[in-house]
Structures are given as structure tokens and as C-alpha cells.
Amino acid sequence: MTAGPAVGTDPAGGTGPAVATDPVQERLRRWRLVLGGDEADGTGCALSGRDAAMDGTLAALYGKGDRARTGRDRSAGLGASAPSVARWLGDIRTYFPSSVVQVMQRDAIDRLGLSTLLLEPEMLEAVEADVHLVGTLLSLNKAMPETTKETARAVVRKVVEGLEKRLATRTRATLTGALDRSARVSRPRHHDIDWNRTIAANLKHYLPEYGTVVPERLVGYGRASQSVKKEVILCIDQSGSMAASVVYASVFGAVLASMRSISTRLVVFDTAVVDLTDQLDDPVDVLFGTRLGGGTDINRALAYCQSQITRPAETVVVLISDLYEGGIRNEMLKRVAAMKASGVQFVTLLALSDEGAPAYDREHAAALAALGAPAFACTPDLFPEVMAAAIEKRPLPQPAPVR
């Protein structure tokens, strides 16, 4: 991990911002921060002031892994005490930007086993909240003492509200447009005519001598514009590897549920199936209703979703799963085929997150693609476009194929 271009010291070893220095010395300083000192770094560059303090925060987290390379430890690490961790959390926020802080927090939880410290309210108040931290808190939900749960919900709510603010407006606008387009009719009553689209569709019938367009085909809005037009079922795998996807899907579920023209159902599953639709008005309640970890029975979950479909031609089923099936594979594929044959729009997302290519069952993904239900990873920013395409029954906007 590098220190980043905005962090440095003055020539006297002070703690101010970096200033112009000899390029060779600056390069050595950066390599020293990367390599962490000891004889193996080869730079011969000593650190002082802010650089030394920053190096200490890095060594506390990443130093223990150096024994295999150097034969010795870089640092004493964070230890197991809450006060030392709290100080370290404060230090990394001082020296690094928020995006780097979030990465270091995740690494601390994974490398140093600090999950149990998140059960303490003072620790939760000190951390930088993000989607991955929410996933960790949800996995600890059952073990969390009552004294911590209120703080944990506050942390989760802060992240959820930030995601809603970022995603809700664009999602509603995109899907409202898709719903309007899917509801247009070709024989509208006069006051239901969409004049802009009617003119555009009939420009070839323009009569210059009369200065007008003769509309051979009318395009109109559907009359039931405020009634439920589409039904969406979000079927979410809550195995441990899907934590970020569960968070984003819960937020999108709440946004979709707020749109009167879409009837939204949210189902989570591992080896059991839980319908959380009645909690969709509060995605925080949805998240604390999940149970991250455990096995996976996609077939069982799809069987439940299939039983809830009443208008197949107006239904979109979104399966969010890495497709590692613990249930009956052939039955799962038969259910997908049956839903598609009935007119259901079936979407398979291997992940719904900002991360890179996920791990997934390639055999199952290929089998679904053969059924006309291609599986791909989707970022939160792309999700509204995917849903709009499914509503309009047009090809889904897919990112580059996952390999």
C-alpha cells in the first residue's frame, strides 16, 4: 500500500504537506513507505515526523505478514485491546483519504480478526461506515449484544441513507420512463395521444404544400398510468459472499417499493426462504432481517418466487446469486425455463456491487445463458438500466463478459 501523492513531509521532517524535493529522494521516500523498513527495503531512507507516524499505522496492520519475506516482524501490530484499535482508527483517518480508510478497515477485520471488537459501541462509533462494514455487522447480528445493536443500526442507517440519496432519483426516473414506454398504445383516445412521439413516427408523411404531418399511426399513453403495471420479484442469495449485493438489493427494493406502478416483492434465501416484502418501507429492517452465511438452495427459492407470480407477462424476476447451488440443479433450471416460457422476464445477476469480477459457478451460468437468461455482474449504477430493459422486454445492457 502506498502513502498516496498528497501525503508527505517538509525537508525538516515536519508534519506539513509535501513540498518540492529532490526527485530521487522523493522516490526513495515513497519506496520506503511501501517496503516498510528493515534491511530488505534497500532504500537507506529514514522517516520522521508525519511519514514515520503514517508508516506506523501501515506496519500495525500489514507488518505481520512480512515474516515469510524477511524472517522478522515489522511491528507489534494492533494487539487485541479496544483502546489501541480506537487510536489506530483515528490515525488512519488522519493520514489517509476515506476510500483508503475503508480498505484498511476491511483488511484489519480480515487479517487481524477484529470482528469481535465491532460488537463494542465505542468501536462502531470510531469506524468509517461503508457497504462492506454493513455486511460485517449483519454477519455478526446474531452475536451482537443489545447494548451494541442500537449503535449498529445507526451505522447501517447512515450507509443506507447515503446509498438511497445516490441511487433513488436516477432509478425512479429511469424506470418511470420505461413504464411509460411499455404502456403506450397504438389506438389511443384523443386526450391520450403522445403528440411528440406521434409526430416523430409520422415525419415521412409530411405534406409540404399543407405544412403539416398526416398521422398514419397514432402513439398514445396507456390509460391506467397510475395502476400497477409491472411486478418485480428480487430473489437474493444471502450466503456470506453476497454481503455487498444484499445491501444494495435491499436499498433498490425499497426504492422500487416506493413506486406505485411497480409491485415489488423481496425474497432472501440460504437453505431456507424468507419473504421480507412487508419490511420494504425500511431497508434497514430488511437488512437486519437477513442472515448472512449458511448454505444455498436456489431451487427452493425459485419455487417460492414462482408460486407468487400471478401475471407472468408483466413480471420481472431478478435472481441475485453466485449460482453455487446446494439444491437440485436440474429442478432449478426447469423452473427458470418454465418461468420464461410463461412470459416472465428473468434476470440473473452474479453480483450487485461496485467490486470486480465475482467468483461464481460457471457451469450454472452457462446453463442459464442457454435458456436465454444470461448471467452477469452488475454495478449499482447499471442496475436501473437493466431493470428498464427488462420492463420494456428488450435486450439487457450487459457489461463486458465475466471470465
Side-chain angles (χ1 to χ4, degrees):
M1 168 173 269
T2 61
V7 180
T9 61
D10 61 31
T15 58
V19 295
T21 59
D22 178 69
V24 174
Q25 289 300 316
E26 176 63 12
R27 191 178 304 116
L28 289 174
R29 182 186 76 88
R30 289 177 175 272
W31 272 113
R32 166 61 183 80
L33 286 168
V34 170
L35 296 171
D38 297 330
E39 298 86 345
D41 74 24
T43 64
C45 180
L47 300 178
S48 62
R50 186 183 181 93
D51 281 349
M54 179 168 37
D55 185 59
T57 65
L58 292 169
L61 175 56
Y62 300 106
K64 288 293 184 180
D66 280 3
R67 175 171 288 278
R69 179 173 63 81
T70 66
R72 58 183 292 187
D73 290 334
R74 271 177 63 181
S75 166
L78 292 177
S81 70
S84 66
V85 175
R87 285 194 297 272
W88 181 79
L89 289 169
D91 287 343
I92 63 175
R93 285 200 300 274
T94 299
Y95 302 128
F96 302 101
S98 177
S99 58
V100 175
V101 168
Q102 292 170 6
V103 172
M104 294 180 72
Q105 286 179 171
R106 292 204 299 273
D107 287 348
I109 291 170
D110 294 340
R111 293 166 61 100
L112 304 180
L114 298 184
S115 296
T116 54
L117 288 176
L118 294 178
L119 302 180
E120 301 180 24
E122 59 271 21
M123 286 297 98
L124 286 178
E125 293 171 355
V127 295
E128 188 88 15
D130 69 340
V131 169
H132 300 281
L133 177 65
V134 169
T136 300
L137 292 178
L138 296 179
S139 68
L140 297 171
N141 185 27
K142 300 302 180 183
M144 195 174 291
E146 290 300 323
T147 54
T148 306
K149 285 187 175 180
E150 184 176 348
T151 306
R153 288 184 71 90
V155 171
V156 172
R157 187 168 298 282
K158 177 181 177 182
V159 174
V160 166
E161 288 177 350
L163 292 177
E164 283 189 301
K165 184 177 181 181
R166 166 189 159 194
L167 301 170
T169 300
R170 179 166 173 264
T171 300
R172 291 192 186 100
T174 300
L175 297 189
T176 297
L179 289 164
D180 286 344
R181 288 188 293 272
S182 68
R184 289 198 172 90
V185 295
S186 58
R187 297 180 65 184
R189 299 184 183 186
H190 179 77
H191 55 276
D192 290 330
I193 296 175
D194 181 343
W195 287 109
N196 289 333
R197 288 182 175 272
T198 294
I199 293 171
N202 291 277
L203 286 176
K204 63 182 178 180
H205 304 302
Y206 176 69
L207 300 178
E209 62 272 26
Y210 295 104
T212 189
V213 169
V214 177
E216 190 173 273
R217 180 170 67 90
L218 300 177
V219 180
Y221 299 104
R223 290 183 58 77
S225 60
Q226 294 304 314
S227 64
V228 172
K229 299 173 184 174
K230 293 290 180 179
E231 297 183 6
V232 174
I233 301 177
L234 299 177
C235 186
I236 309 169
D237 183 344
Q238 60 177 351
S239 58
S241 60
M242 301 296 293
S245 298
V246 171
V247 176
Y248 280 115
S250 299
V251 172
F252 276 118
V255 173
L256 295 177
S258 70
M259 301 177 66
R260 286 182 294 178
S261 53
I262 298 179
S263 174
T264 306
R265 184 172 295 275
L266 189 143
V267 177
V268 298
F269 68 93
D270 42 32
T271 53
V273 180
V274 181
D275 193 326
L276 297 175
T277 302
D278 61 349
Q279 300 179 35
L280 272 175
D281 59 331
D282 188 344
V284 176
D285 286 342
V286 169
L287 289 171
F288 276 94
T290 62
R291 183 181 60 190
L292 291 178
T296 307
D297 193 339
I298 303 173
N299 176 56
R300 187 173 184 178
L302 291 181
Y304 176 80
C305 294
Q306 192 175 22
S307 71
Q308 303 301 306
I309 297 173
T310 57
R311 299 190 302 149
E314 304 302 326
T315 299
V316 178
V317 174
V318 182
L319 171 64
I320 303 174
S321 173
D322 55 17
L323 300 180
Y324 288 111
E325 170 66 317
I328 306 173
R329 175 185 185 272
N330 290 337
E331 287 296 318
M332 174 190 76
L333 296 175
K334 286 180 181 178
R335 291 191 190 282
V336 175
M339 282 189 272
K340 286 190 63 64
S342 69
V344 171
Q345 296 296 301
F346 195 92
V347 180
T348 307
L349 302 181
L350 302 170
L352 178 57
S353 69
D354 288 308
E355 298 174 346
Y360 66 100
D361 189 305
R362 296 173 185 274
E363 183 180 349
H364 287 163
L368 288 173
L371 295 175
F376 56 95
C378 178
T379 65
D381 289 334
L382 181 62
F383 184 76
E385 299 296 336
V386 170
M387 290 302 301
I391 287 171
E392 295 182 75
K393 299 182 180 182
R394 54 183 171 82
L396 303 179
Q398 299 180 39
V402 179
R403 300 187 182 279

